[in-house]
Amino acid sequence: MVVPVTQALDYTYFRDRLADPALLRRSLALHVHTGATLAVPVGGARRGGYTSSCCLRCGLLIRDVLKGRPGFPNARLNWSLYPNTRHVVRWGADPPPQEDDTMHGRHYGYSEAAIAAYVAGPPDEPGAGDIAGSLCASRGSTPAGEDALGTAQPRLGAGRQNATP
């Protein structure tokens, strides 16, 4: 279920790190089992985005919610190859193939300051990927809620999956 963006648990996190915080006005806060997280649209420097899902059913729901909405072009579900790994809903351009945190940070539209802080050392607080793991109560199985959506925004590096600036 879509709720107001300011209700998303990671709203402040993204507000403080995006190069263009105005993207938050077009973001969708997707309610999961115990809270909501953001799906931030493409625009400006942000060329792509993704969110993870706890199960296939949730991934299909997320994709369907995003499909056809402005800022979420080519919404698609990438199935996980492993049972203990989350499915990923992507939109916009695919991320760079290189395992370069700076390139990934720019692709996802983070500010240069946020990227530099991330590259300089480990984050001081949990990122959206950590939040999602705690929100999706039925991780790996079909959730019980009618509109249950498991979602999390990417953190920076492909090499450090779910790492954030």
Side-chain angles (χ1 to χ4, degrees):
M1 171 173 29
V2 178
V3 297
V5 295
T6 55
Q7 290 182 14
L9 298 173
D10 50 356
Y11 175 82
T12 302
Y13 178 86
F14 282 104
R15 183 196 66 204
D16 294 346
R17 288 166 179 79
L18 287 171
D20 182 5
L23 288 172
L24 294 174
R25 283 179 275 186
R26 297 183 318 162
S27 295
L28 295 175
L30 303 173
H31 185 268
V32 279
H33 301 281
T34 59
T37 57
L38 289 177
V40 180
V42 298
R46 187 174 171 87
R47 296 184 1 244
Y50 76 85
T51 185
S52 62
S53 113
C54 60
C55 64
L56 184 57
R57 178 174 174 245
C58 289
L60 292 169
L61 286 169
I62 294 167
R63 183 205 59 194
D64 291 347
V65 166
L66 299 179
K67 206 171 199 172
R69 289 185 185 252
F72 299 94
N74 192 25
R76 59 210 179 269
L77 176 66
N78 295 121
W79 291 27
S80 168
L81 299 176
Y82 307 101
N84 63 343
T85 307
R86 298 165 70 90
H87 303 289
V88 176
V89 178
R90 293 188 183 278
W91 55 91
D94 285 328
Q98 299 87 349
E99 291 189 17
D100 180 301
D101 290 331
T102 300
M103 289 177 67
H104 280 257
R106 289 178 181 147
H107 173 81
Y108 291 118
Y110 290 108
S111 69
E112 292 297 321
I115 295 168
Y118 176 76
V119 170
D124 293 333
E125 60 186 83
D130 298 327
I131 293 169
S134 65
L135 290 179
C136 195
S138 306
R139 192 174 191 168
S141 63
T142 303
E146 286 182 20
D147 294 312
L149 297 175
T151 185
Q153 276 296 316
R155 294 165 133 200
L156 275 182
R160 290 187 280 177
Q161 200 58 271
N162 292 331
T164 339

